[in-house]
Each structure stands twice: as C-alpha cells, then as structure tokens.
Amino acid sequence: PGPPGQSGLQGEPGVKGVDGKPGKDAKRLPKSVCGVEDKVGRSVCCGESPISWQNYGPNAFIDVDARKCKFTDNDVLYFSDVYGSGGQWEEIGISSIYSTSKTGFRIYVHAKHRWRSSVPAWWANALRHRVQWCGVGMSEGPKVNAMCCGVQPSRKIYNWGAAAYTDVDIKACNVAGSPVVITAMAATSASARNYD
C-alpha cells in the first residue's frame, strides 16, 4: 500500500455534555430572588434612556429604545426604574410599561402628591431623569454578564414627612463599575398603594 493521505476537514462540534458536580472549593451563591429563570435562548439586556421626555397633556412620557438588544420577537419582559438629580420620587408610573415590542417600550409619568399637580416634560428633562431598564427575551444581541437580586427588609424603610425612603446596600453583589440598579416595592396592604 501507498503512504497515508492528508487529514480530512474537522467535523461539526458535538452536543454539549452534562455539567459535572461543583468542585470542593466552588463558591455556592444563594438561590436567586430575581424571578427570572435561565431559559434556553433567553438573555438579559440592559440599558438607559437619553434625557428625552415629551409632553403628554400636563404630564410626560418617554419612548425607550431597546434595538441594541436585537430581540428576535415581541415576547420581551421589561423592567424599569428612573434616576436623576432629584424629584423622581414624586413620579408615579416609572415602572409601569406600555407598548412593549422587541424594539422598546413607553413609560408615562404623572404626579404622586397633591403639592405637585403634574410632571411636565421640561421638569423631568431639567432634573436629568433617565430610565434604567432591562429586558429578558430571545436575542441575537449583547447580554449582561451577571445579575444580582435581593430584598430589602421592611424595617429599613424610614419616614420622611409624608413619604418614605430606604438606603439599599448592594455590596453583597460584588459588582464593579456603575451597575444598572432597578428597584420595586411590594406590600401586602392597600396602605402602600401610592408607591411605584
């Protein structure tokens, strides 16, 4: 017989094998309270809006652009919060999301208290209110590397005149840089109906 021929092309990779057991030195994270379970093909993508509130009667709305996430269908679950240089605590609607699609969503805000009759666009823009958001869906775009969730004990909510506040400690998440922080408040009675 003659000499052996050249090697052929490499074949397609096989199916991923079963993950092994964690090593003895592996760090075990506590069970997530995110409420977002890992699903095949689903990913989390986050961002923040520019300062671009528009008038809606005496109040304001903003259209949030999520095209960078490259979600592949309209079945996207969005979460949002607003931050700025003040006054965002006076707004209702910051986590109420409308007109969702794979390219984004809309938020309407209005005044929470009787001493402020409205939230006009100029006011939200002047106070540099930006929407921080995350979306969970099927995506061909960028993904966040990690997500950390927690629950703040109710004993750490303090009175501030006719309002309330809390300081949230995220040190346990061990994040670097400027993370996207999204908050929500839940309650078991109607006394919390004014919170958003």
Short mmCIF file of all heavy atoms in Angstrom, two decimals, residues 50-92:
data_model
loop_
_atom_site.label_atom_id
_atom_site.label_comp_id
_atom_site.label_asym_id
_atom_site.label_seq_id
_atom_site.Cartn_x
_atom_site.Cartn_y
_atom_site.Cartn_z
N PRO A 50 -31.78 58.13 26.89
CA PRO A 50 -31.30 59.51 26.94
C PRO A 50 -32.34 60.36 27.68
O PRO A 50 -33.42 59.88 28.01
CB PRO A 50 -31.22 59.90 25.46
CG PRO A 50 -32.20 59.01 24.79
CD PRO A 50 -32.23 57.73 25.57
N ILE A 51 -32.01 61.59 27.95
CA ILE A 51 -32.96 62.51 28.59
C ILE A 51 -33.83 63.08 27.48
O ILE A 51 -33.44 64.02 26.79
CB ILE A 51 -32.21 63.61 29.36
CG1 ILE A 51 -31.31 62.98 30.42
CG2 ILE A 51 -33.19 64.59 29.99
CD1 ILE A 51 -30.29 63.92 31.01
N SER A 52 -35.00 62.48 27.27
CA SER A 52 -35.83 62.87 26.12
C SER A 52 -37.32 62.75 26.41
O SER A 52 -38.07 62.19 25.63
CB SER A 52 -35.46 62.01 24.91
OG SER A 52 -35.64 60.63 25.21
N TRP A 53 -37.76 63.26 27.58
CA TRP A 53 -39.18 63.22 27.94
C TRP A 53 -39.97 64.15 27.03
O TRP A 53 -39.48 65.21 26.63
CB TRP A 53 -39.36 63.62 29.40
CG TRP A 53 -38.74 62.64 30.34
CD1 TRP A 53 -37.45 62.64 30.80
CD2 TRP A 53 -39.36 61.49 30.89
NE1 TRP A 53 -37.24 61.56 31.61
CE2 TRP A 53 -38.40 60.83 31.70
CE3 TRP A 53 -40.63 60.93 30.80
CZ2 TRP A 53 -38.67 59.67 32.40
CZ3 TRP A 53 -40.91 59.77 31.50
CH2 TRP A 53 -39.94 59.15 32.29
N GLN A 54 -41.20 63.75 26.72
CA GLN A 54 -42.09 64.55 25.87
C GLN A 54 -43.39 64.81 26.62
O GLN A 54 -43.76 64.05 27.51
CB GLN A 54 -42.39 63.80 24.57
CG GLN A 54 -41.14 63.49 23.76
CD GLN A 54 -41.49 62.67 22.54
OE1 GLN A 54 -42.28 63.09 21.70
NE2 GLN A 54 -40.89 61.48 22.43
N ASN A 55 -44.08 65.88 26.26
CA ASN A 55 -45.32 66.24 26.93
C ASN A 55 -46.44 65.27 26.59
O ASN A 55 -46.58 64.84 25.45
CB ASN A 55 -45.75 67.65 26.55
CG ASN A 55 -44.88 68.70 27.22
OD1 ASN A 55 -44.49 68.55 28.37
ND2 ASN A 55 -44.58 69.76 26.49
N TYR A 56 -47.23 64.96 27.62
CA TYR A 56 -48.46 64.18 27.46
C TYR A 56 -49.49 64.89 28.32
O TYR A 56 -49.62 64.63 29.51
CB TYR A 56 -48.25 62.73 27.92
CG TYR A 56 -49.47 61.87 27.75
CD1 TYR A 56 -49.86 61.45 26.49
CD2 TYR A 56 -50.24 61.48 28.85
CE1 TYR A 56 -50.98 60.66 26.32
CE2 TYR A 56 -51.35 60.69 28.69
CZ TYR A 56 -51.73 60.29 27.42
OH TYR A 56 -52.85 59.50 27.26
N GLY A 57 -50.19 65.87 27.71
CA GLY A 57 -51.05 66.76 28.50
C GLY A 57 -50.17 67.51 29.47
O GLY A 57 -49.09 67.99 29.11
N PRO A 58 -50.56 67.59 30.75
CA PRO A 58 -49.72 68.28 31.74
C PRO A 58 -48.58 67.40 32.26
O PRO A 58 -47.76 67.86 33.05
CB PRO A 58 -50.71 68.61 32.86
CG PRO A 58 -51.71 67.52 32.78
CD PRO A 58 -51.86 67.18 31.31
N ASN A 59 -48.52 66.16 31.83
CA ASN A 59 -47.52 65.21 32.33
C ASN A 59 -46.54 64.83 31.22
O ASN A 59 -46.40 65.57 30.25
CB ASN A 59 -48.23 63.99 32.93
CG ASN A 59 -49.01 64.39 34.17
OD1 ASN A 59 -48.42 64.83 35.15
ND2 ASN A 59 -50.32 64.25 34.13
N ALA A 60 -45.87 63.70 31.36
CA ALA A 60 -44.80 63.37 30.41
C ALA A 60 -44.78 61.88 30.08
O ALA A 60 -45.30 61.05 30.82
CB ALA A 60 -43.45 63.79 30.99
N PHE A 61 -44.14 61.58 28.94
CA PHE A 61 -43.87 60.19 28.58
C PHE A 61 -42.50 60.13 27.92
O PHE A 61 -41.94 61.14 27.51
CB PHE A 61 -44.95 59.63 27.64
CG PHE A 61 -44.85 60.09 26.21
CD1 PHE A 61 -44.12 59.38 25.27
CD2 PHE A 61 -45.49 61.25 25.80
CE1 PHE A 61 -44.01 59.81 23.95
CE2 PHE A 61 -45.40 61.69 24.48
CZ PHE A 61 -44.67 60.96 23.56
N ILE A 62 -41.98 58.91 27.83
CA ILE A 62 -40.71 58.69 27.15
C ILE A 62 -40.78 57.36 26.41
O ILE A 62 -41.36 56.39 26.91
CB ILE A 62 -39.52 58.70 28.14
CG1 ILE A 62 -38.18 58.73 27.40
CG2 ILE A 62 -39.60 57.55 29.11
CD1 ILE A 62 -36.98 59.03 28.30
N ASP A 63 -40.25 57.34 25.20
CA ASP A 63 -40.12 56.10 24.44
C ASP A 63 -38.70 55.58 24.63
O ASP A 63 -37.73 56.30 24.37
CB ASP A 63 -40.40 56.35 22.95
CG ASP A 63 -41.88 56.58 22.68
OD1 ASP A 63 -42.71 55.89 23.30
OD2 ASP A 63 -42.21 57.46 21.86
N VAL A 64 -38.60 54.35 25.10
CA VAL A 64 -37.30 53.74 25.39
C VAL A 64 -36.91 52.84 24.23
O VAL A 64 -37.68 51.96 23.83
CB VAL A 64 -37.36 52.95 26.71
CG1 VAL A 64 -36.05 52.22 26.96
CG2 VAL A 64 -37.68 53.90 27.86
N ASP A 65 -35.75 53.05 23.69
CA ASP A 65 -35.24 52.31 22.53
C ASP A 65 -34.40 51.12 22.99
O ASP A 65 -33.37 51.30 23.64
CB ASP A 65 -34.40 53.26 21.67
CG ASP A 65 -33.93 52.63 20.38
OD1 ASP A 65 -34.06 51.40 20.20
OD2 ASP A 65 -33.41 53.38 19.53
N ALA A 66 -34.84 49.91 22.65
CA ALA A 66 -34.11 48.70 23.03
C ALA A 66 -33.56 47.96 21.82
O ALA A 66 -33.23 46.78 21.91
CB ALA A 66 -35.02 47.78 23.84
N ARG A 67 -33.43 48.65 20.69
CA ARG A 67 -32.98 47.97 19.47
C ARG A 67 -31.58 47.37 19.60
O ARG A 67 -31.27 46.38 18.96
CB ARG A 67 -33.04 48.93 18.28
CG ARG A 67 -34.46 49.19 17.81
CD ARG A 67 -34.48 50.16 16.68
NE ARG A 67 -34.03 51.46 17.18
CZ ARG A 67 -34.03 52.57 16.46
NH1 ARG A 67 -34.42 52.55 15.20
NH2 ARG A 67 -33.63 53.71 16.97
N LYS A 68 -30.73 47.95 20.45
CA LYS A 68 -29.37 47.42 20.61
C LYS A 68 -29.38 45.98 21.09
O LYS A 68 -28.43 45.24 20.86
CB LYS A 68 -28.57 48.28 21.58
CG LYS A 68 -28.97 48.09 23.04
CD LYS A 68 -27.99 48.74 23.98
CE LYS A 68 -28.26 48.28 25.41
NZ LYS A 68 -27.20 48.66 26.31
N CYS A 69 -30.47 45.56 21.76
CA CYS A 69 -30.55 44.20 22.30
C CYS A 69 -30.80 43.15 21.22
O CYS A 69 -30.56 41.97 21.44
CB CYS A 69 -31.66 44.12 23.34
SG CYS A 69 -31.35 45.17 24.77
N LYS A 70 -31.30 43.57 20.08
CA LYS A 70 -31.59 42.66 18.96
C LYS A 70 -32.51 41.51 19.39
O LYS A 70 -32.27 40.35 19.07
CB LYS A 70 -30.30 42.13 18.34
CG LYS A 70 -29.44 43.23 17.75
CD LYS A 70 -28.21 42.68 17.09
CE LYS A 70 -27.37 43.82 16.53
NZ LYS A 70 -26.12 43.36 15.93
N PHE A 71 -33.57 41.87 20.15
CA PHE A 71 -34.56 40.85 20.49
C PHE A 71 -35.20 40.36 19.20
O PHE A 71 -35.45 41.14 18.28
CB PHE A 71 -35.62 41.41 21.44
CG PHE A 71 -35.10 41.67 22.83
CD1 PHE A 71 -35.14 42.94 23.37
CD2 PHE A 71 -34.57 40.65 23.59
CE1 PHE A 71 -34.65 43.20 24.64
CE2 PHE A 71 -34.07 40.89 24.87
CZ PHE A 71 -34.12 42.16 25.40
N THR A 72 -35.47 39.07 19.12
CA THR A 72 -35.94 38.47 17.87
C THR A 72 -37.46 38.39 17.76
O THR A 72 -37.97 38.13 16.68
CB THR A 72 -35.35 37.07 17.68
OG1 THR A 72 -35.70 36.26 18.80
CG2 THR A 72 -33.83 37.14 17.56
N ASP A 73 -38.18 38.60 18.87
CA ASP A 73 -39.65 38.64 18.80
C ASP A 73 -40.16 39.61 19.86
O ASP A 73 -39.39 40.16 20.64
CB ASP A 73 -40.26 37.24 18.96
CG ASP A 73 -39.91 36.57 20.27
OD1 ASP A 73 -39.92 37.25 21.33
OD2 ASP A 73 -39.63 35.36 20.26
N ASN A 74 -41.48 39.82 19.86
CA ASN A 74 -42.06 40.81 20.77
C ASN A 74 -42.35 40.27 22.17
O ASN A 74 -42.87 40.99 23.01
CB ASN A 74 -43.36 41.37 20.16
CG ASN A 74 -43.07 42.22 18.94
OD1 ASN A 74 -42.05 42.89 18.88
ND2 ASN A 74 -43.96 42.19 17.98
N ASP A 75 -42.01 39.03 22.45
CA ASP A 75 -42.23 38.43 23.76
C ASP A 75 -41.06 38.78 24.67
O ASP A 75 -40.23 37.93 25.00
CB ASP A 75 -42.40 36.91 23.61
CG ASP A 75 -42.74 36.24 24.93
OD1 ASP A 75 -43.25 36.94 25.83
OD2 ASP A 75 -42.51 35.03 25.06
N VAL A 76 -40.99 40.05 25.07
CA VAL A 76 -39.89 40.55 25.90
C VAL A 76 -40.48 41.06 27.21
O VAL A 76 -41.48 41.78 27.21
CB VAL A 76 -39.13 41.70 25.21
CG1 VAL A 76 -37.97 42.18 26.08
CG2 VAL A 76 -38.62 41.27 23.85
N LEU A 77 -39.88 40.68 28.32
CA LEU A 77 -40.29 41.15 29.64
C LEU A 77 -39.33 42.27 30.04
O LEU A 77 -38.13 42.04 30.19
CB LEU A 77 -40.20 39.99 30.64
CG LEU A 77 -40.54 40.30 32.10
CD1 LEU A 77 -41.98 40.78 32.23
CD2 LEU A 77 -40.32 39.06 32.95
N TYR A 78 -39.88 43.49 30.20
CA TYR A 78 -39.06 44.65 30.55
C TYR A 78 -39.24 45.02 32.02
O TYR A 78 -40.33 44.86 32.58
CB TYR A 78 -39.44 45.86 29.70
CG TYR A 78 -39.02 45.77 28.25
CD1 TYR A 78 -39.98 45.55 27.26
CD2 TYR A 78 -37.70 45.92 27.88
CE1 TYR A 78 -39.61 45.48 25.92
CE2 TYR A 78 -37.32 45.84 26.54
CZ TYR A 78 -38.28 45.63 25.58
OH TYR A 78 -37.91 45.56 24.25
N PHE A 79 -38.17 45.55 32.62
CA PHE A 79 -38.17 46.11 33.96
C PHE A 79 -37.59 47.51 33.85
O PHE A 79 -36.65 47.72 33.09
CB PHE A 79 -37.29 45.29 34.91
CG PHE A 79 -37.66 43.84 34.99
CD1 PHE A 79 -37.11 42.92 34.12
CD2 PHE A 79 -38.55 43.39 35.95
CE1 PHE A 79 -37.43 41.58 34.19
CE2 PHE A 79 -38.88 42.06 36.03
CZ PHE A 79 -38.32 41.15 35.16
N SER A 80 -38.11 48.46 34.62
CA SER A 80 -37.59 49.82 34.51
C SER A 80 -37.58 50.53 35.84
O SER A 80 -38.28 50.17 36.79
CB SER A 80 -38.43 50.63 33.52
OG SER A 80 -39.74 50.82 34.04
N ASP A 81 -36.77 51.58 35.90
CA ASP A 81 -36.69 52.47 37.04
C ASP A 81 -36.19 53.81 36.49
O ASP A 81 -35.69 53.88 35.37
CB ASP A 81 -35.74 51.91 38.09
CG ASP A 81 -36.06 52.44 39.49
OD1 ASP A 81 -36.88 53.37 39.61
OD2 ASP A 81 -35.48 51.93 40.45
N VAL A 82 -36.31 54.86 37.27
CA VAL A 82 -35.87 56.19 36.84
C VAL A 82 -34.89 56.74 37.87
O VAL A 82 -35.09 56.58 39.07
CB VAL A 82 -37.07 57.16 36.69
CG1 VAL A 82 -36.61 58.58 36.46
CG2 VAL A 82 -37.97 56.71 35.54
N TYR A 83 -33.81 57.35 37.39
CA TYR A 83 -32.90 58.04 38.29
C TYR A 83 -32.61 59.41 37.70
O TYR A 83 -32.87 59.68 36.52
CB TYR A 83 -31.60 57.25 38.49
CG TYR A 83 -30.62 57.32 37.35
CD1 TYR A 83 -29.56 58.22 37.39
CD2 TYR A 83 -30.76 56.52 36.24
CE1 TYR A 83 -28.65 58.29 36.35
CE2 TYR A 83 -29.86 56.59 35.19
CZ TYR A 83 -28.81 57.48 35.25
OH TYR A 83 -27.92 57.56 34.21
N GLY A 84 -32.13 60.31 38.53
CA GLY A 84 -31.82 61.66 38.07
C GLY A 84 -31.24 62.46 39.22
O GLY A 84 -30.81 61.92 40.23
N SER A 85 -31.27 63.78 39.07
CA SER A 85 -30.68 64.63 40.09
C SER A 85 -31.71 65.13 41.10
O SER A 85 -31.45 66.07 41.83
CB SER A 85 -29.94 65.81 39.44
OG SER A 85 -30.81 66.52 38.59
N GLY A 86 -32.87 64.49 41.15
CA GLY A 86 -33.88 64.83 42.16
C GLY A 86 -35.28 64.76 41.60
O GLY A 86 -35.51 64.82 40.39
N GLY A 87 -36.24 64.59 42.49
CA GLY A 87 -37.64 64.67 42.11
C GLY A 87 -38.26 63.40 41.58
O GLY A 87 -39.49 63.32 41.46
N GLN A 88 -37.46 62.37 41.26
CA GLN A 88 -38.06 61.17 40.69
C GLN A 88 -38.98 60.47 41.68
O GLN A 88 -39.89 59.76 41.27
CB GLN A 88 -37.00 60.21 40.13
CG GLN A 88 -35.99 59.71 41.10
CD GLN A 88 -34.75 60.59 41.17
OE1 GLN A 88 -34.80 61.77 40.89
NE2 GLN A 88 -33.64 60.00 41.57
N TRP A 89 -38.78 60.70 42.96
CA TRP A 89 -39.66 60.10 43.97
C TRP A 89 -41.06 60.68 43.91
O TRP A 89 -42.01 60.10 44.46
CB TRP A 89 -39.06 60.29 45.36
CG TRP A 89 -38.98 61.73 45.79
CD1 TRP A 89 -37.98 62.61 45.51
CD2 TRP A 89 -39.95 62.43 46.56
NE1 TRP A 89 -38.26 63.84 46.05
CE2 TRP A 89 -39.47 63.76 46.71
CE3 TRP A 89 -41.16 62.09 47.13
CZ2 TRP A 89 -40.17 64.73 47.41
CZ3 TRP A 89 -41.86 63.07 47.84
CH2 TRP A 89 -41.36 64.36 47.97
N GLU A 90 -41.23 61.82 43.23
CA GLU A 90 -42.55 62.45 43.11
C GLU A 90 -43.36 61.91 41.93
O GLU A 90 -44.47 62.37 41.69
CB GLU A 90 -42.40 63.96 42.96
CG GLU A 90 -41.76 64.63 44.16
CD GLU A 90 -41.74 66.14 44.01
OE1 GLU A 90 -42.83 66.73 43.99
OE2 GLU A 90 -40.65 66.71 43.91
N GLU A 91 -42.82 60.96 41.20
CA GLU A 91 -43.48 60.47 39.98
C GLU A 91 -44.13 59.10 40.20
O GLU A 91 -43.57 58.23 40.84
CB GLU A 91 -42.46 60.35 38.85
CG GLU A 91 -41.83 61.67 38.47
CD GLU A 91 -40.66 61.51 37.54
OE1 GLU A 91 -40.24 60.37 37.25
OE2 GLU A 91 -40.15 62.54 37.09
N ILE A 92 -45.29 58.94 39.62
CA ILE A 92 -45.96 57.63 39.54
C ILE A 92 -45.89 57.18 38.09
O ILE A 92 -46.05 57.98 37.17
CB ILE A 92 -47.44 57.73 39.99
CG1 ILE A 92 -47.52 57.85 41.50
CG2 ILE A 92 -48.24 56.52 39.54
CD1 ILE A 92 -48.92 57.90 42.05
#
